[in-house]
Each structure stands twice: as structure tokens, then as C-alpha cells.
Amino acid sequence: MRNPMWQENSNFNQIIDYAFCFQKSKVLFTAIELNLFNTLGNTCLQSQELAELLKTDPSSTDRLLNTLCS
């Protein structure tokens, strides 16, 4: 038997959807706040190079870029 909590249109699923929407928008707003898109422009940079330009941690920048791509 399926757990009713996971049924389509359940309150639980709506809460989970809101949480994921918040996470996605937070990632996008972080990139905007860092001026990532303007810094990147039309160039092709490695995450290490972009981190140097943004003055951010290379590992965190790499994770941010991967999250934006997904």
C-alpha cells in the first residue's frame, strides 16, 4: 500500500515543492549576487578561473556551477 503522504496533490508534496523552489531560487540569486553571469559573459572559463575573478572559494564555485547546470 502506498503511503498517502506521497500521493499527488497532498499537502506534504506541496511543502516539498515549496522547499525545492526555494533552494533553486536561492542558487540563482547567489549567482546573481556574485555577478557570476556578467563576469562569465560569453567566455568559457574553468571554475577555478571564475573563482579567482569572483574572489570565491574554488570548490564552492564549482558546486555552484554544477548546481546551476542541473
Side-chain angles (χ1 to χ4, degrees), residues 16-69:
I16 295 298
D17 286 343
Y18 291 141
F20 283 124
C21 287
F22 172 77
Q23 288 176 334
K24 291 175 185 178
S25 65
K26 186 66 175 167
V27 168
L28 184 59
F29 285 129
T30 298
I32 292 168
E33 186 177 317
L34 290 171
N35 203 29
L36 185 145
F37 300 112
N38 288 332
T39 302
L40 190 56
N42 291 327
T43 60
C44 184
L45 299 173
Q46 298 287 327
S47 59
Q48 174 75 30
E49 297 168 311
L50 186 58
E52 289 174 16
L53 292 172
L54 296 174
K55 296 177 177 50
T56 56
D57 176 67
S59 177
S60 298
T61 304
D62 190 55
R63 280 185 294 196
L64 178 61
L65 291 172
N66 285 327
T67 304
L68 286 166
C69 288

